[in-house]
């Protein structure tokens, strides 16, 4: 009986992993299909910049168009090192170098880092939700305030991973982190208007990770500023106006650190 139970658990775990991989491939196909490119779109990696002590790591909110980083660099009058990748999850992942590994890559290129601008954790929630939603992170209008325990547990695990990464940065001598949270997605190419409860809980936990970690970390909450008109047709990524709004939220925190 015990052997059958263990086998059942392994099958369920494999099913979740398969669902996540399929959803990830759908995201890839959507991004490449919209653009006609042959691979998942990301702005180029920049390992040597005007100011090598400032790096950006994270996912496609930064990386898909690169405009968010472009605006920040224009405000600063100098370039920063870029390691962000579309499809990146906080750690692990199936389609892109994770945020944790991006940070390791940046240190391998040049460990003299003072400030990290980042996001991370969104794809860990979004990619499964797009396909079969195995963690039940979508809530319909009649489920207001009823985010599932499975989704909360997933996000709580991301909180732990986030604190661990931020504490590692502190141990490595990083002075400052600016952590960009997530805005509400919308119904577009993907039906994601029902992610609000998960995004609220996720941003709360990311802000706590920032507050409770050892490194000086400032959390940026974009929910009050970014609206549906600032998001492209996929329902996820910022358009030019959205990227500008995000940069305008980050810049007052970044400027004094340069």
């Amino acid at each position: 009986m015990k052997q059958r139970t263990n086998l059942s658990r392994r099958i369920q775990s494999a099913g979740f992993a398969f669902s996540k991989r399929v959803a990830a491939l759908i995201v890839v196909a959507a991004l490449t299909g919209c653009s006609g490119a042959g691979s998942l779109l990301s702005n180029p990696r920049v390992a040597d910049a005007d100011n090598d002590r400032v790096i950006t790591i994270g996912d496609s909110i930064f990386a898909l168009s690169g405009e968010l980083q472009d605006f920040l660099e224009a405000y600063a009058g100098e370039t920063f090192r870029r390691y962000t990748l579309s499809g990146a999850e906080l750690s692990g992942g199936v389609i892109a170098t994770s945020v944790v590994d991006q940070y390791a890559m940046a240190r391998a290129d040049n460990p003299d880092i003072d400030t990290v601008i980042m996001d991370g954790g969104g794809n860990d929630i979004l990619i499964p939700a797009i396909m079969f939603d195995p963690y039940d992170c979508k809530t319909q209008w009649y489920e207001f305030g009823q985010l599932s325990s499975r989704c909360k547990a997933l996000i709580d695990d991301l909180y732990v991973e986030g604190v661990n990464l931020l504490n590692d940065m502190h141990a490595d001598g990083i002075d400052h982190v600016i952590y960009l949270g997530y805005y509400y997605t919308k119904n577009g190419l993907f039906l994601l208007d029902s992610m609000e409860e998960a995004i609220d809980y996720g941003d709360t936990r990311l802000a706590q990770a920032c507050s409770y970690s050892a490194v000086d970390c400032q959390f940026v909450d974009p929910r009050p500023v970014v609206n549906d008109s600032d998001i492209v047709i996929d329902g996820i990524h910022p358009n030019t106006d959205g990227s500008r709004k995000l940069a305008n939220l980050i810049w007052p925190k970044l400027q004094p650190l340069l």
Side-chain angles (χ1 to χ4, degrees):
M1 184 68 178
K2 185 176 180 181
Q3 289 179 338
R4 289 182 180 178
T5 301
N6 290 338
L7 177 60
S8 176
R9 287 174 178 171
R10 287 198 297 271
I11 291 172
Q12 183 180 40
S13 176
F16 270 25
F18 177 75
S19 298
K20 193 171 183 181
R21 184 174 293 273
V22 170
L25 292 174
I26 289 173
V27 173
V28 172
L31 292 178
T32 57
C34 289
S35 66
S39 60
L40 188 62
L41 295 178
S42 291
N43 61 178
R45 170 183 168 191
V46 177
D48 186 18
D50 298 332
N51 186 345
D52 283 344
R53 302 191 70 192
V54 177
I55 67 167
T56 55
I57 57 176
D59 57 36
S60 55
I61 302 301
F62 283 94
L64 183 59
S65 69
E67 289 182 321
L68 172 49
Q69 291 146 302
D70 292 341
F71 282 124
L72 291 174
E73 291 175 354
Y75 296 162
E78 59 182 359
T79 58
F80 310 128
R81 289 198 278 154
R82 303 186 185 193
Y83 295 88
T84 58
L85 283 171
S86 295
E89 297 174 52
L90 189 57
S91 66
V94 295
I95 58 175
T97 303
S98 71
V99 178
V100 169
D101 289 339
Q102 291 170 27
Y103 171 64
M105 187 183 301
R107 279 186 47 78
D109 285 342
N110 182 349
D112 186 16
I113 302 168
D114 177 74
T115 300
V116 176
I117 309 164
M118 66 175 292
D119 71 350
N123 280 326
D124 304 69
I125 303 166
L126 188 65
I127 290 174
I130 284 174
M131 192 59 176
F132 301 118
D133 197 19
Y135 300 102
D136 194 18
C137 284
K138 292 183 177 182
T139 54
Q140 306 304 322
W141 63 269
Y142 52 84
E143 298 175 304
F144 180 79
Q146 300 177 39
L147 184 64
S148 74
S149 58
R150 278 179 292 164
C151 189
K152 287 182 178 179
L154 170 65
I155 294 170
D156 289 342
D157 288 343
L158 292 174
Y159 161 81
V160 174
E161 292 176 9
V163 170
N164 289 340
L165 173 58
L166 293 170
N167 285 341
D168 286 345
M169 290 179 180
H170 176 71
D172 293 334
I174 303 298
D175 292 326
H176 310 287
V177 176
I178 300 172
Y179 203 123
L180 176 65
Y182 292 92
Y183 49 82
Y184 297 124
T185 50
K186 69 176 184 180
N187 287 338
L189 184 61
F190 304 109
L191 300 179
L192 297 171
D193 192 52
S194 56
M195 295 294 295
E196 288 189 0
E197 299 274 343
I199 291 167
D200 283 340
Y201 190 76
D203 275 351
T204 296
R205 296 299 270 157
L206 289 176
Q208 290 172 342
C210 228
S211 297
Y212 299 152
S213 64
V215 74
D216 172 47
C217 181
Q218 301 181 75
F219 183 75
V220 177
D221 185 355
R223 286 173 295 173
V225 175
V226 177
N227 53 54
D228 285 359
S229 65
D230 300 313
I231 302 172
V232 300
I233 193 172
D234 63 12
I236 303 168
H237 298 98
N239 58 25
T240 298
D241 287 341
S243 293
R244 184 183 291 107
K245 285 184 176 182
L246 294 173
N248 289 344
L249 290 173
I250 293 171
W251 177 241
K253 300 181 183 299
L254 175 61
Q255 185 179 24
L257 306 180
L258 298 177

